[in-house]
Amino acid sequence: MQTSGQSTTAPGRGALANAPREPLPQLPVVDPVTPGELVELYRLMTAVRHLDRAAISWQRQGIIPAYAPELGQEAAQVGSALAVDTRRDFVFPTYRELGVARACGVDMVEYMATHKATWHGGLWDPAAAHVAPIQAVVAGSVLHAVGWAHGQTLEARGELPEDGYNVAITYLGDGASSQGDVHEAMNFAAVFKAPVVFFVQNNGWAISVPTEKQVAGGSVSARGAGYGIPALKVDGNDPAAVLTATRRAVAHARAGHGPVLVEAMTYRRGPHATSDDPGRYRTLEEERADAGADPIGRLRERILAEGAADTAALDAAEAAAAAEAEQVREGVLALGPRPGAEMFDLVFQETTDELERQKANWQEETESRKESEDA
Amino acid sequence: MPDTLTTPDAGTTEATTAPLELSLQGALNLALDEILAENPKALVLGEDVGTLGGVFRVTSGLAAKHGSERVFDTPLAESGILGMSIGLAMAGFHPIPEVQFDGFAYPAVNQIVCQLARMNYRSRGTLPMPVTLRVPSFGGIRAPEHHGESLEALFAHVPGLKVVSPSDPQQGYSLLRAAARMADPVIFMEPKSRYWQKGQVTPEGGAPSSKLSGARIARPGRHLTLVAWGAMVARCLQVAELAAEDGIDVEVLDLRWLKPIDGDALAASVGKTRRAVVVHEAPRTSGLGAEVAQVITERCFGTLKAPVERVTGFDVPYPSGDLEDEYIPNIDRILFGIQRVLEYKRG
């Protein structure tokens, strides 16, 4: 078909094949991490380490049925979480973000409630904490972060607020990056220029499958370019580097420039979960080589070398962390089952007659059973 | 359950607008227009819902009137549309996403089943999901593959979802207005073969009726109850007219809400007629007809004159257009079903 007045050789959209690619936007530069922040990172990472180790013990002791340790990912988790402000921003974790939750001030007993099988997602109030419930579907909440972030731009009605947009940060791993939802989320985020940070903890393993069998091209962050999303790859075992990278990403999104992808290269030092057996898919030698130095040990050396704190102060943080873990243990032990009525009452905001009938029937049968047990 | 469908509360009649002659598509469009005007947190999103106004034009003109920020096109990805709607609801909005055709709800099932339906529960009621998912549904338009599915049993089986299907323009208008006032996720199944059928619609006219729930009697009768929803209601009404010529007085019950099912309405109707036939387009096995039959049996076992009969689609993939009239319950098949129930003899 030929339109009048047009050359018979006009390539039309075909000319786009030779159009230059738009350069990716530059991320802003942020202030370097202060000595005080280094000590805060240490304090939090130590607390997380103690809680994480304690949780494995609790599983072995039969206090909780299962747990997914984050050992080795303290720097990536605490470093990234400190870059957001949960008074205004919103955090979307998966099921391995103890460090993120702790750094965001989530009550650790209420967090552990999910692992104690008390309530899926945890017991804290996610709307108040601005930390979404624990998400068991890998990449399940990545799209939610994009939706929440787009909601912030809608609230602003196209005018960048003086203090910028509220930002969503969503956590995913190298395994989750294979999920189609991650593609949809990144594409949507870029199309809508949503203020969201995709924070990838590339910990080398998706249960038993190594990154090289998981991530084509070897890098999740490399995919950002395809969406026009600027991406940073950072040493995920260096908390100061993670904090700086995430702060740059948040600042970019806050300023209305759209999404950013951060890939923190780290290592899952422990098993996938307490039921896992890494000996079936990796050797101790490989673990040692890939894990590198302990992120907390590295930070401790740096703090002492730079004089940000002295040994006594760091030891005190260590003692406080041990005490905290003990306190959380008591809280977890005291955590009884939720009233069974909650099964019914929390399904809907506005319940249904059918659900009320099922609840009444359950209550009747439960009471009758108890009576016969007592008799 | 009260039916506040066309009768606004007494004393507010002055605000009622005169009835309009509208197609189902037009009635849904009007409802969305009013929802967007009334609720500043309401958003319409999906594929082609903006400039084009949707492939069925249900969202026609809404972007121009309410702004392309509130009525917006998304990339072509259903999981993305639903996942984004969940995040928007977490941010305090009331999203009304559209999945363009029933069969394309499948790519979004993870977000609908594992996320949308559970977020209120998982968050212990702190993150409600007031999301109204519009799904052009069912067959009858000789459409390509995956454009004529009946997913009500799939959605009704998922804890945390409510499911509704309108049968005519008035139902479409009122039920969509009602669904959009709910604080829970609602799957709104629009019978696409009925989009262009016209009918009288009485708008709320600023006097919103209370939340609309339960079934309705589309035609009263004495001898037998036909239970249907969506496009099958109109067909059952035709069947009832034909049966009347043979002296059979058929009651047609428009179930409307497929979850929760209005057991009281079923019991009242079948308690009176003592015979029931459930009609749906979806495949028979584990279809919603089985649930309806069980509700009726539990409530009316003592008075039933015959087992509840089902006239349904078959346990086959939805066929091509040439065969869909064989697949969708037609007038003859429904009449055969009625005959089987009427002639049933206890063995």
Side-chain angles (χ1 to χ4, degrees):
Chain A
M1 198 173 69
Q2 196 185 327
T3 357
S4 62
Q6 201 169 63
S7 146
T8 52
T9 56
R13 281 180 53 77
L16 292 174
N18 302 317
R21 270 194 76 93
E22 288 249 337
L24 289 174
Q26 293 292 309
L27 295 176
V29 176
V30 297
D31 293 336
V33 173
T34 65
E37 286 169 343
L38 286 180
V39 178
E40 176 67 359
L41 286 165
Y42 184 86
R43 191 182 67 76
L44 285 166
M45 286 167 64
T46 308
V48 171
R49 171 68 57 88
H50 277 261
L51 283 165
D52 189 66
R53 285 208 163 141
I56 295 172
S57 310
W58 304 338
Q59 193 273 335
R60 302 299 186 230
Q61 294 160 14
I63 297 171
I64 61 176
Y67 177 69
E70 59 76 69
L71 183 69
Q73 296 176 223
E74 296 88 353
Q77 297 199 1
V78 171
S80 57
L82 279 192
V84 296
D85 177 358
T86 48
R87 287 168 303 179
R88 58 181 305 194
D89 302 326
F90 211 108
V91 179
F92 294 79
T94 73
Y95 51 81
R96 201 193 299 284
E97 260 77 63
L98 172 75
V100 176
R102 174 64 181 82
C104 290
V106 171
D107 180 276
M108 285 293 103
V109 176
E110 291 174 352
Y111 179 89
M112 287 297 175
T114 198
H115 298 300
K116 196 170 187 218
T118 307
W119 196 263
H120 292 313
L123 281 176
W124 75 92
D125 179 345
H130 276 212
V131 178
I134 289 173
Q135 172 64 248
V137 178
V138 287
S141 62
V142 177
L143 280 161
H144 309 168
V146 176
W148 187 91
H150 186 54
Q152 307 313 302
T153 54
L154 288 177
E155 287 284 2
R157 291 169 196 279
E159 285 229 3
L160 182 69
E162 217 166 275
D163 56 350
Y165 289 128
N166 304 326
V167 174
I169 184 167
T170 175
Y171 286 85
L172 63 145
D174 44 305
S177 78
S178 298
Q179 291 281 349
D181 272 4
V182 172
H183 159 64
E184 294 189 21
M186 288 184 182
N187 190 50
F188 273 56
V191 165
F192 292 112
K193 226 176 170 185
V196 55
V197 175
F198 297 97
F199 191 88
V200 181
Q201 290 172 82
N202 186 333
N203 70 8
W205 293 92
I207 303 190
S208 66
V209 177
T211 307
E212 56 270 25
K213 288 185 181 171
Q214 185 75 244
V215 180
S219 162
V220 181
S221 52
R223 295 174 187 170
Y227 303 104
I229 298 179
L232 293 169
K233 208 170 194 176
V234 64
D235 176 355
N237 297 331
D238 177 349
V242 173
L243 177 56
T244 300
T246 317
R247 275 182 173 157
R248 293 180 68 195
V250 169
H252 181 85
R254 209 181 287 300
H257 302 310
V260 184
L261 171 53
V262 180
E263 184 175 19
M265 302 306 294
T266 181
Y267 189 70
R268 195 196 77 207
R269 289 171 175 251
H272 160 69
T274 41
S275 54
D276 185 27
D277 176 10
R280 292 174 72 92
Y281 52 82
R282 67 189 194 194
T283 65
L284 282 174
E285 289 70 37
E286 286 166 341
E287 280 189 16
R288 276 190 207 105
D290 290 342
D294 174 17
I296 295 182
R298 265 173 77 183
L299 179 60
R300 188 181 174 98
E301 276 180 30
R302 178 173 169 185
I303 286 171
L304 294 174
E306 292 181 12
D310 58 16
T311 313
L314 300 186
D315 289 349
E318 202 60 56
E324 180 185 337
E326 192 49 42
Q327 204 179 2
V328 173
R329 181 181 194 271
E330 279 164 29
V332 170
L333 274 172
L335 203 59
R338 300 302 306 169
E342 284 189 353
M343 281 195 293
F344 304 93
D345 295 341
L346 296 173
V347 177
F348 292 115
Q349 289 282 317
E350 297 155 312
T351 193
T352 65
D353 291 349
E354 172 60 23
L355 210 42
E356 285 299 289
R357 267 191 295 276
Q358 292 180 21
K359 180 181 160 189
N361 188 248
W362 165 80
Q363 274 168 334
E364 212 173 283
E365 292 181 353
T366 306
E367 275 158 31
S368 154
R369 192 186 65 207
K370 276 184 191 154
E371 275 167 27
S372 60
E373 277 170 4
D374 293 345
Chain B
M1 287 182 231
D3 185 345
T4 48
L5 175 61
T6 54
T7 43
D9 302 333
T12 56
T13 39
E14 57 180 6
T16 311
T17 320
L20 304 167
E21 175 88 355
L22 288 174
S23 65
L24 174 61
Q25 169 267 344
L28 294 167
N29 183 264
L30 175 66
L32 288 171
D33 184 18
E34 291 182 3
I35 291 162
L36 286 161
E38 192 177 284
N39 179 0
K41 291 293 183 185
L43 301 170
V44 169
L45 66 153
E47 295 156 11
D48 307 296
V49 299
T51 313
L52 179 66
V55 293
F56 292 106
R57 307 294 183 266
V58 172
T59 57
S60 187
L62 298 178
K65 185 167 175 185
H66 298 281
S68 55
E69 299 77 32
R70 296 187 63 205
V71 181
F72 60 94
D73 291 325
T74 65
L76 205 166
E78 290 77 11
S79 192
I81 293 166
L82 267 296
M84 184 171 199
S85 297
I86 291 164
L88 285 163
M90 289 171 79
F93 288 91
H94 188 133
I96 308 176
E98 175 185 299
V99 165
Q100 202 162 71
F101 284 89
D102 33 50
F104 306 126
Y106 287 122
V109 161
N110 171 48
Q111 286 296 335
I112 296 171
V113 174
C114 302
Q115 307 298 335
L116 178 64
R118 288 173 183 236
M119 191 59 83
N120 185 73
Y121 192 72
R122 187 185 294 147
S123 70
R124 303 175 53 74
T126 63
L127 296 172
M129 287 288 118
V131 176
T132 310
L133 171 59
R134 293 184 38 249
V135 188
S137 292
F138 316 122
I141 63 163
R142 295 178 70 83
E145 195 175 9
H146 306 305
H147 293 63
E149 310 280 310
S150 301
L151 305 180
E152 65 269 30
L154 173 73
F155 292 132
H157 194 61
V158 176
L161 297 180
K162 294 174 180 175
V163 186
V164 65
S165 185
S167 57
D168 66 23
Q170 180 71 69
Q171 299 301 317
Y173 169 85
S174 298
L175 290 169
L176 187 52
R177 295 283 270 137
R181 283 193 193 100
M182 292 187 167
D184 294 305
V186 177
I187 312 293
F188 192 87
M189 302 178 69
E190 302 170 0
K192 62 174 88 80
S193 67
R194 305 293 301 171
Y195 270 140
W196 314 111
Q197 303 297 317
K198 291 200 168 174
Q200 294 279 307
V201 176
T202 305
E204 292 176 352
S209 47
S210 58
K211 274 165 191 148
L212 193 67
S213 59
R216 69 184 257 273
I217 301 299
R219 180 192 196 276
R222 292 171 297 139
H223 297 145
L224 178 141
T225 302
L226 281 178
V227 183
W229 50 90
M232 287 299 100
V233 173
R235 186 152 297 176
C236 287
L237 287 170
Q238 283 179 291
V239 167
E241 291 305 315
L242 290 170
E245 292 172 12
D246 292 334
I248 305 163
D249 190 14
V250 171
E251 178 149 303
V252 178
L253 188 139
D254 178 0
L255 197 57
R256 301 201 297 195
W257 288 92
L258 311 180
K259 187 176 190 180
I261 286 177
D262 186 351
D264 291 345
L266 287 170
S269 174
V270 182
K272 176 183 69 177
T273 63
R274 306 179 70 180
R275 296 176 180 92
V277 177
V278 196
V279 181
H280 63 65
E281 295 185 37
R284 169 166 306 204
T285 301
S286 298
L288 208 67
E291 184 69 30
V292 170
Q294 176 62 13
V295 170
I296 293 171
T297 306
E298 279 174 10
R299 304 280 295 257
C300 307
F301 183 70
T303 53
L304 275 178
K305 292 240 185 192
V308 180
E309 177 75 23
R310 289 182 286 171
V311 180
T312 68
F314 305 115
D315 289 355
V316 301
Y318 191 87
S320 282
D322 280 356
L323 289 174
E324 74 179 349
D325 289 343
E326 300 301 316
Y327 172 90
I328 299 175
N330 54 35
I331 287 172
D332 289 338
R333 284 178 57 207
I334 299 169
L335 283 169
F336 279 130
I338 289 174
Q339 193 181 358
R340 282 194 293 275
V341 169
L342 288 173
E343 292 176 356
Y344 178 79
K345 296 269 186 294
R346 271 174 210 274

